[in-house]
């Protein structure tokens, strides 16, 4: 996420973020939208996109989240989501087909997914057999027995108007909630950190569970559906545009994005030839702000982090305020700050820290935001003609206030997700570690961690043990002070 300005200077600047029982066994919905379900490979009547030949990269050590245990279920290890989504702006209606391939992690007589009951399920099968289910709020309990390490195919058709879900934060840019959003112009955008993907598809909505994704998006032209990964095909038939997207690397659900609107793409590339696409609103070309800096931003980051870890990169501009490092397709609000070069640096940095290597638990979101913030600070210092020491001194002036407000970075208030405490304190911590280890060792760590953990998840224990192993230093007290202390540790 993009950060918000610290409260100590909020009055002098625009607030921005360093950016997220009933029984029902049959589908419902009295009316269907005018846009038909997507036809062909992702329709309910025929098989969807083939599951990738090798799903080993999507096999995860799932867990119950320590901060938000009510979301996600460690019994489910999602391997591949195939989502066919048809959006009718005129009626604000979604008609969808989902094919979820998952592995059971234990024997059980049922499986549970996150899926908001604002959407009506019409059909649900497991391995081709009609299956009963129960629903309550966002919990979908599928009454199908599973065995440990066996794979299953859950297929659903559903429809309705998705509704956003309350966000566990005081951040003003999340006042509309998380998940699926519909603008007054009937456009769609989605941001779901720390959760909210369940507002538009059935999902194991916890970051330790990464999966492959394919999307088939249908909407009346001239609108386009945009999602993560590579745009593999676009067709127009009877006034409907269908675009297909393939995400070649597994992603956590909070890093997925889908949007529908009238977009015009701008094609760019980095100096190494990585294709970059900026999807901006056709009726407001200036809304893309400074995002065309993306190629230069990638070049700058690769100096410190090594090669960009994915095949494509894009930025999607939506009618909002936040920013989110959605994997290979960053989602940015159409504001001057959210589309600034500094934010492009920040969200792109997350592709090493947050996307290719992802925290397994929301208690460790500092692993993402602290490093992206530090790299942003390095870039800002260069742009401002000051030293990184001066930049960190500036941030240290208010870091204690952020810690007082929302708690230590590694033990924050769960009702205050995404506050400044997870950004500035860890950024200062990384600078202190850099001074302690020296640049050669420090920047070696920065490059090696995402390369070693490519397409994986990790928690604090694994990360800090790895750093100690690589450096030969005993750093437990250092990290505990910076991540768990209610007050800012002394700085060198």
């Amino acid at each position: 996420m993009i950060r918000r300005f610290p409260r100590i200077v909020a009055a002098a600047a625009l607030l921005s973020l360093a950016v997220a029982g009933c029984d029902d066994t049959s589908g419902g919905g009295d009316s269907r939208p005018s846009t038909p379900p997507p036809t062909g490979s992702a329709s309910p009547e025929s098989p969807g996109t083939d599951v990738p030949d090798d799903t080993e990269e999507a096999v995860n050590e799932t867990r119950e989240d320590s901060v938000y245990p009510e979301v996600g279920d460690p019994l489910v290890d999602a391997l591949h989501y195939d989502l066919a989504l048809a959006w009718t702006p005129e009626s604000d209606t979604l008609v969808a087909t989902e094919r979820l391939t998952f592995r059971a992690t234990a024997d059980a007589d049922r499986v549970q997914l996150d899926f908001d009951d604002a959407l009506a399920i019409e059909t649900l099968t497991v391995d081709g057999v009609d299956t009963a289910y129960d629903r309550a709020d966002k919990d979908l309990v599928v009454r199908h027995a599973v065995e440990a390490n066996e794979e299953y195919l859950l297929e659903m058709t559903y429809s309705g108007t998705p509704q956003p879900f309350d966000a566990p934060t005081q951040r003003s840019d999340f006042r509309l909630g998380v998940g699926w959003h519909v603008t007054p112009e009937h456009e769609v955008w989605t941001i779901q950190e720390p959760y909210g993907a369940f507002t538009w598809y059935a999902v194991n909505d916890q970051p330790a569970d990464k999966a492959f994704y394919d999307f088939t998006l249908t909407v009346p032209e001239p609108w386009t559906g945009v999602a993560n990964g590579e745009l593999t095909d676009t067709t127009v038939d009877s006034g409907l545009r269908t675009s297909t997207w393939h995400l070649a690397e597994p992603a956590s659900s909070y890093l997925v994005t889908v949007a529908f609107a009238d977009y015009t793409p701008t094609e760019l590339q980095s100096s190494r030839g990585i294709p970059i696409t900026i999807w901006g609103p056709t009726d407001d070309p200036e809304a893309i702000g400074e995002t065309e800096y993306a190629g230069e931003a990638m070049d700058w980051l690769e100096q410190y982090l090594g090669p960009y870890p994915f095949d494509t990169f894009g930025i999607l501009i939506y009618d909002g305020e936040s920013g989110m490092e959605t994997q290979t397709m960053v989602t940015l609000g159409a504001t001057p700050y959210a589309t600034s070069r500094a934010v492009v640096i920040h969200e792109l940095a997350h592709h090493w820290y947050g996307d290719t290597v992802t925290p397994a638990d929301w208690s460790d979101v500092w692993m993402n935001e602290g490093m992206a913030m530090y790299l942003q600070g390095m870039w800002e210092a260069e742009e401002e003609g000051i030293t990184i020491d001066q930049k960190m001194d500036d941030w240290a002036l208010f870091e204690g206030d952020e810690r007082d407000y929302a708690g230590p970075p590694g033990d924050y208030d769960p009702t205050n997700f995404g506050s400044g405490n997870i950004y500035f304190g860890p950024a200062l911590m990384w600078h202190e570690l850099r001074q302690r280890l020296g640049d050669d060792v420090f920047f070696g760590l920065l490059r090696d961690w995402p390369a070693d953990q490519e397409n994986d998840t990790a928690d604090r224990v694994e990360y800090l043990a790895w750093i100690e192993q690589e450096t030969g230093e005993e750093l437990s007290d250092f990290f505990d002070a910076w991540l768990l202390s209610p007050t800012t540790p002394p700085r060198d």
Side-chain angles (χ1 to χ4, degrees):
M1 288 186 291
I2 58 174
R3 67 172 174 85
R4 59 176 193 170
F5 285 100
R7 276 171 303 285
I8 196 168
V9 297
L14 175 68
L15 181 65
S16 298
L17 294 177
V19 179
C22 63
D23 180 83
D24 183 3
T25 56
S26 63
D30 296 331
S31 61
R32 299 297 293 262
S34 57
T35 300
T39 59
S41 64
S43 70
E45 293 81 15
S46 61
T49 303
D50 291 339
V51 178
D53 293 335
D54 183 7
T55 58
E56 183 65 27
E57 282 188 304
V59 173
N60 300 279
E61 294 183 15
T62 55
R63 63 174 66 193
E64 180 178 277
D65 198 77
S66 69
V67 183
Y68 305 110
E70 69 278 8
V71 184
D73 188 341
L75 177 64
V76 175
D77 179 14
L79 303 176
H80 180 241
Y81 293 94
D82 184 3
L83 302 173
L85 310 174
W87 178 247
T88 301
E90 183 178 346
S91 59
D92 286 343
T93 310
L94 176 70
V95 173
T97 299
E98 174 175 351
R99 303 176 79 248
L100 165 60
T101 303
F102 70 93
R103 178 183 69 92
T105 63
D107 296 347
D109 60 3
R110 91 305 177 264
V111 292
Q112 181 169 316
L113 295 167
D114 304 299
F115 186 55
D116 192 8
D117 60 7
L119 295 169
I121 297 174
E122 282 129 21
T123 65
L124 189 154
T125 65
V126 177
D127 291 342
V129 177
D130 288 340
T131 303
Y133 54 87
D134 303 302
R135 305 188 73 183
D137 194 20
K138 63 148 212 62
D139 296 333
L140 170 62
V141 178
V142 180
R143 293 190 236 149
H144 187 284
V146 295
E147 297 180 9
N149 295 315
E150 293 296 317
E151 291 186 14
Y152 300 88
L153 175 62
L154 183 148
E155 297 180 270
M156 287 174 46
T157 59
Y158 57 95
S159 64
T161 302
Q163 302 294 319
F165 205 80
D166 288 343
T169 181
Q170 311 305 310
R171 288 174 47 155
S172 62
D173 61 340
F174 273 63
R175 64 187 178 278
L176 299 178
V178 290
W180 185 283
H181 294 79
V182 182
T183 73
E185 294 75 29
H186 312 285
E187 299 167 346
V188 169
W189 57 273
T190 61
I191 286 182
Q192 41 264 332
E193 187 182 18
Y195 47 70
F198 61 75
T199 63
W200 51 282
Y201 68 105
V203 57
N204 193 30
D205 209 357
Q206 200 276 339
D209 191 2
K210 288 181 149 182
F212 291 98
Y213 280 82
D214 283 279
F215 305 87
T216 302
L217 308 180
T218 299
V219 68
E221 60 174 340
W223 286 23
T224 301
V226 178
N228 308 77
E230 179 185 2
L231 176 60
T232 57
D233 191 32
T234 300
T235 60
V236 176
D237 183 25
S238 302
L240 299 176
R241 173 176 286 133
T242 297
S243 55
T244 58
W245 298 80
H246 175 63
L247 187 56
E249 298 87 3
S252 298
S253 53
Y254 83 96
L255 294 171
V256 174
T257 190
V258 161
F260 293 97
D262 185 1
Y263 294 111
T264 296
T266 300
E267 304 290 345
L268 310 166
Q269 65 177 19
S270 72
S271 62
R272 287 199 307 113
I274 300 295
I276 297 169
T277 306
I278 313 298
W279 294 86
T282 300
D283 62 355
D284 186 8
E286 300 302 313
I288 66 172
E290 298 181 308
T291 57
E292 289 177 298
Y293 183 68
E296 295 170 75
M298 188 177 293
D299 295 343
W300 188 88
L301 286 165
E302 286 185 335
Q303 298 176 79
Y304 301 103
L305 303 178
Y308 174 69
F310 301 102
D311 295 331
T312 63
F313 181 69
I315 295 176
L316 167 70
I317 307 298
Y318 77 98
D319 185 14
E321 304 171 20
S322 298
M324 186 64 210
E325 63 269 21
T326 38
Q327 190 162 310
T328 72
M329 186 62 70
V330 164
T331 307
L332 295 180
T335 71
Y337 179 71
T339 58
S340 68
R341 293 187 298 164
V343 169
V344 172
I345 286 281
H346 185 102
E347 303 303 347
L348 187 48
H350 275 309
H351 283 71
W352 287 265
Y353 282 83
D355 292 11
T356 192
V357 55
T358 304
D361 189 276
W362 280 120
S363 63
D364 295 324
V365 64
W366 63 269
M367 290 167 54
N368 299 355
E369 300 301 349
M371 186 58 72
M373 199 72 240
Y374 185 60
L375 289 159
Q376 179 183 333
M378 287 173 54
W379 179 88
E380 288 181 358
E382 287 186 15
E383 291 292 300
E384 295 165 14
I386 63 175
T387 67
I388 185 62
D389 295 318
Q390 290 173 292
K391 175 61 71 172
M392 293 301 104
D393 288 344
D394 290 344
W395 287 359
L397 294 174
F398 56 78
E399 191 276 334
D401 293 334
E402 297 292 341
R403 196 177 287 253
D404 287 343
Y405 175 72
D411 188 22
Y412 58 86
D413 175 1
T415 67
N416 230 336
F417 180 83
S419 192
N421 61 328
I422 64 171
Y423 295 83
F424 295 103
L428 292 173
M429 178 187 75
W430 291 127
H431 189 60
E432 294 297 304
L433 187 65
R434 175 182 175 181
Q435 292 179 313
R436 177 170 177 165
L437 300 178
D439 280 5
D440 289 346
V441 173
F442 179 75
F443 287 111
L445 294 175
L446 261 61
R447 289 188 299 273
D448 291 346
W449 172 249
D452 287 353
Q453 303 292 321
E454 185 177 12
N455 292 326
D456 205 351
T457 67
D459 61 21
R460 181 183 320 175
V461 172
E462 295 171 281
Y463 190 18
L464 302 187
W466 180 88
I467 292 175
E468 289 188 330
Q469 177 181 328
E470 294 295 306
T471 62
E473 298 250 358
E474 169 53 55
L475 296 167
S476 298
D477 291 344
F478 172 84
F479 284 119
D480 284 350
W482 277 100
L483 297 175
L484 302 177
S485 173
T487 58
T488 306
R491 297 173 62 227
D492 289 338

